Amino acid sequence: MATRKVTLSLDAASLEFAEQAAKAHGVSLSSWLSKAARREAVRTGYRLPVRHAAAVEAEADETERELAEQELRAQG
């Protein structure tokens, strides 16, 4: 999945929770927030149109793999 840079405003407590959760799971804040947003969208009922779902899922898997590789390289 292609990534986009965005500017977000979060309350201080939410940002602290997200930063600590990302650190505890060994992922970047961006990766953690992306996964959390996706989970919340699905939890609250959002569904992709069927024709796009397979392509989006494949892109998401590839992006997650690339992020994991980057994080492993950064750890040495």
Side-chain angles (χ1 to χ4, degrees):
M1 177 182 303
T3 59
R4 290 179 27 206
K5 286 192 178 256
V6 298
T7 301
L8 300 172
S9 297
L10 302 172
D11 63 83
S14 294
L15 179 58
E16 181 66 23
F17 278 125
E19 288 172 332
Q20 293 303 316
K23 184 176 180 180
H25 288 92
V27 298
S28 69
L29 178 60
S30 292
S31 177
W32 191 90
L33 286 170
S34 181
K35 290 175 187 176
R38 189 178 314 135
R39 280 191 307 268
E40 183 63 8
V42 170
R43 187 190 73 76
T44 59
Y46 177 76
R47 298 289 184 265
L48 288 173
V50 174
R51 64 179 188 223
H52 297 294
V56 169
E57 186 65 29
E59 289 177 15
D61 289 346
E62 180 63 19
T63 299
E64 189 168 338
R65 184 193 62 76
E66 289 173 6
L67 289 172
E69 285 180 1
Q70 290 173 6
E71 290 167 2
L72 286 173
R73 277 191 227 108
Q75 293 174 5

